[in-house]
Amino acid sequence: MINIPNCFVDMPYANFTSNKYSLPVLPLCRYGYDNFFKSIQYEFYREREFLKASNHQFYQSVDKIDAADFILMPLDYSRSKKVDPNICLYYENLSKQSNKILILFHFGDGVEDINVPNSIIFRHSKYKNPLGHNKIICPPLINNLSNEHEFQCIDNFKDYSVGFVGHGVKMLEDLPPWKKFFQYAKKDYMFSILGLFNSSFLAHRSGMYFRKKTVNILRNSGISTNFLLRRFWGRGRDVRTKGLSDEFREEFIKSIDINLFNLSIRGVGNYSFRFYEIISAGRIPVLIDTLCPLPMEDKINYDDFCVIVNHSDLKNTPDIIASWYKSKTNKQLVESQKKAKKVFKENLDFIVFFDKFFKNEIFQIIDEKKIRKDVW
């Protein structure tokens, strides 16, 4: 019998008709969404996934807090704190008064610490450090590319190629030099200087910095590459408001399909949507590791189906890819592709990941009292 936990969800401050409270709602909770849903047409890839997740029963909602196993805040915590700290304070007090675990989510790009007593915090973007029992790295909500296209395993290994389609060029031509520096380069220079004293700061340079460097290194290495750099972002999806079209989407899908290896490099946040999209298609991501924690690292051996390049070893990216490729037989290369798709389907799909948590791990955390006051 599957356990379905009881959850208390309240949204006293939610008013989606007001700009002040135009906060990101979570796909884990339908409660209070009715007005929000009416204003959105779910015609795009990730929006459809959002709607599907919001309709999934991760838990049983209860009206009385005493009957709940935990409390869930159905808004993004960090954004809520910026808009109106009273929203966050309300939930923190609710958890304190009821002595119930509070589930929080930070699905944005920020890497700031969130320290809330008696809470479990899910997030995508963070730098590697001891996370503790109450901070959990989770996969982002993406569209499973295998639902859009039939990806067959690549089994012709006479040669291999590395692909990348996406934002990789800044539009700088019309800017004066001083503005180029202050708008785009100052943080990269600052972290490069700080990196002379502490190498971990080097990982804080921008995603655009690592994209440009990696692309140039691979282009000059002799490895076969298929790179299409764009001047706009798209998160690998159809975003017509940013000038994308079905044609661009098809180019993105085709690039992943025809290349055994595909570059996965952080964006603004220290994580990559593309990493999970590549895995969902059964291809091998080349992850430039800027101290990025990955979901379930204690249970998933990512080296089996990912090439992971430490940011400090960027110049050796071609050799690291070649070494990973040569270390495997043709049969193992096919199995790596199959394993990537299997791991996504069974662990890293957004709904599957949270379904397992709410119907299994939440009870273990409550029973074993893993969230101790000495780490709150």
Side-chain angles (χ1 to χ4, degrees), residues 6 17 19 29 44 51 123 173 191 220 245 278 282 322 363:
N6 291 330
T17 61
N19 289 331
C29 175
F44 303 138
L51 184 58
R123 63 189 305 161
E173 289 83 352
F191 286 125
N220 295 321
S245 66
I278 295 166
F363 293 107

Side-chain angles (χ1 to χ4, degrees), residues 58-178:
F58 294 102
Y59 47 75
Q60 181 69 44
S61 294
V62 293
D63 295 327
K64 295 184 178 180
I65 197 166
D66 290 342
D69 294 303
F70 59 89
I71 301 166
L72 185 146
M73 178 176 170
L75 302 170
D76 184 274
Y77 182 84
S78 293
R79 283 285 299 277
S80 299
K81 192 141 190 168
K82 290 177 182 177
V83 172
D84 186 348
N86 288 327
I87 298 175
C88 300
L89 189 61
Y90 170 83
Y91 286 99
E92 292 171 26
N93 287 336
L94 202 62
S95 170
K96 183 177 180 180
Q97 292 163 9
S98 64
N99 196 28
K100 301 285 184 180
I101 288 175
L102 176 61
I103 307 288
L104 301 173
F105 302 87
H106 175 39
F107 286 168
D109 291 327
V111 295
E112 66 276 7
D113 284 331
I114 299 172
N115 296 303
V116 176
N118 204 19
S119 69
I120 297 172
I121 302 162
F122 289 96
R123 63 189 305 161
H124 312 317
S125 182
K126 196 76 175 75
Y127 288 97
K128 283 181 180 174
N129 57 30
L131 293 174
H133 290 299
N134 70 325
K135 297 178 178 66
I136 300 175
I137 300 298
C138 64
L141 182 68
I142 65 154
N143 184 54
N144 184 340
L145 295 192
S146 291
N147 294 335
E148 288 185 57
H149 178 81
E150 188 176 349
F151 291 88
Q152 302 292 339
C153 285
I154 294 174
D155 56 9
N156 182 358
F157 299 114
K158 292 181 181 179
D159 197 3
Y160 63 88
S161 56
V162 182
F164 177 81
V165 172
H167 190 194
V169 181
K170 287 286 188 184
M171 297 183 69
L172 303 176
E173 289 83 352
D174 299 327
L175 295 178
W178 66 268

Side-chain angles (χ1 to χ4, degrees), residues 325-342:
Y325 177 80
K326 292 174 182 178
S327 71
K328 299 187 182 299
T329 64
N330 288 358
K331 182 179 179 181
Q332 288 172 329
L333 288 169
V334 170
E335 288 303 314
S336 291
Q337 295 172 72
K338 291 179 179 178
K339 184 164 186 180
K341 192 179 289 190
K342 185 173 186 287

Side-chain angles (χ1 to χ4, degrees), residues 13-77:
Y13 294 95
N15 177 6
F16 296 113
T17 61
S18 167
N19 289 331
K20 182 179 180 182
Y21 295 111
S22 58
L23 294 163
V25 292
L26 300 176
L28 293 155
C29 175
R30 178 112 193 165
Y31 183 89
Y33 278 30
D34 291 342
N35 291 335
F36 181 75
F37 282 149
K38 289 175 184 176
S39 66
I40 291 183
Q41 292 183 356
Y42 288 87
E43 56 182 306
F44 303 138
Y45 301 105
R46 286 187 59 239
E47 278 77 358
R48 287 203 297 265
E49 294 297 311
F50 185 103
L51 184 58
K52 185 168 68 176
S54 67
N55 286 326
H56 186 83
Q57 188 179 15
F58 294 102
Y59 47 75
Q60 181 69 44
S61 294
V62 293
D63 295 327
K64 295 184 178 180
I65 197 166
D66 290 342
D69 294 303
F70 59 89
I71 301 166
L72 185 146
M73 178 176 170
L75 302 170
D76 184 274
Y77 182 84

Side-chain angles (χ1 to χ4, degrees), residues 60-315:
Q60 181 69 44
S61 294
V62 293
D63 295 327
K64 295 184 178 180
I65 197 166
D66 290 342
D69 294 303
F70 59 89
I71 301 166
L72 185 146
M73 178 176 170
L75 302 170
D76 184 274
Y77 182 84
S78 293
R79 283 285 299 277
S80 299
K81 192 141 190 168
K82 290 177 182 177
V83 172
D84 186 348
N86 288 327
I87 298 175
C88 300
L89 189 61
Y90 170 83
Y91 286 99
E92 292 171 26
N93 287 336
L94 202 62
S95 170
K96 183 177 180 180
Q97 292 163 9
S98 64
N99 196 28
K100 301 285 184 180
I101 288 175
L102 176 61
I103 307 288
L104 301 173
F105 302 87
H106 175 39
F107 286 168
D109 291 327
V111 295
E112 66 276 7
D113 284 331
I114 299 172
N115 296 303
V116 176
N118 204 19
S119 69
I120 297 172
I121 302 162
F122 289 96
R123 63 189 305 161
H124 312 317
S125 182
K126 196 76 175 75
Y127 288 97
K128 283 181 180 174
N129 57 30
L131 293 174
H133 290 299
N134 70 325
K135 297 178 178 66
I136 300 175
I137 300 298
C138 64
L141 182 68
I142 65 154
N143 184 54
N144 184 340
L145 295 192
S146 291
N147 294 335
E148 288 185 57
H149 178 81
E150 188 176 349
F151 291 88
Q152 302 292 339
C153 285
I154 294 174
D155 56 9
N156 182 358
F157 299 114
K158 292 181 181 179
D159 197 3
Y160 63 88
S161 56
V162 182
F164 177 81
V165 172
H167 190 194
V169 181
K170 287 286 188 184
M171 297 183 69
L172 303 176
E173 289 83 352
D174 299 327
L175 295 178
W178 66 268
K179 194 166 186 179
K180 289 180 187 179
F181 176 82
F182 284 104
Q183 190 165 344
Y184 295 107
K186 65 177 180 180
K187 286 187 178 180
D188 290 339
Y189 281 110
M190 179 184 72
F191 286 125
S192 294
I193 293 170
L194 290 173
L196 297 174
F197 306 95
N198 184 337
S199 61
S200 65
F201 281 111
L202 297 176
H204 291 246
R205 292 175 291 192
S206 67
M208 193 62 64
Y209 170 89
F210 287 108
R211 289 186 186 194
K212 286 182 177 180
K213 292 279 287 187
T214 308
V215 164
N216 289 335
I217 288 168
L218 287 170
R219 275 178 168 169
N220 295 321
S221 69
I223 285 180
S224 177
T225 59
N226 290 305
F227 295 151
L228 177 55
L229 303 182
R230 294 176 173 151
R231 295 183 180 275
F232 46 81
W233 62 271
R235 297 184 184 176
R237 64 188 175 113
D238 184 4
V239 187
R240 293 186 177 90
T241 56
K242 290 291 181 182
L244 296 187
S245 66
D246 291 338
E247 179 183 352
F248 291 130
R249 180 67 179 181
E250 289 170 9
E251 288 176 347
F252 175 78
I253 297 289
K254 182 180 178 182
S255 176
I256 291 177
D257 189 17
I258 66 175
N259 297 293
L260 176 63
F261 298 103
N262 287 271
L263 280 181
S264 171
I265 305 173
R266 60 167 290 180
V268 177
N270 196 34
Y271 72 106
S272 167
F273 277 87
R274 190 186 308 267
F275 176 77
Y276 301 92
E277 290 172 314
I278 295 166
I279 291 173
S280 77
R283 294 295 182 264
I284 310 302
V286 178
L287 174 65
I288 305 304
D289 180 14
T290 50
L291 304 181
C292 316
L294 297 173
M296 302 175 68
E297 284 187 292
D298 58 331
K299 297 177 182 176
I300 297 174
N301 185 5
Y302 284 95
D303 291 326
D304 286 346
F305 54 90
C306 302
V307 178
I308 300 177
V309 180
N310 189 284
H311 68 95
S312 64
D313 209 15
L314 209 59
K315 65 180 183 299

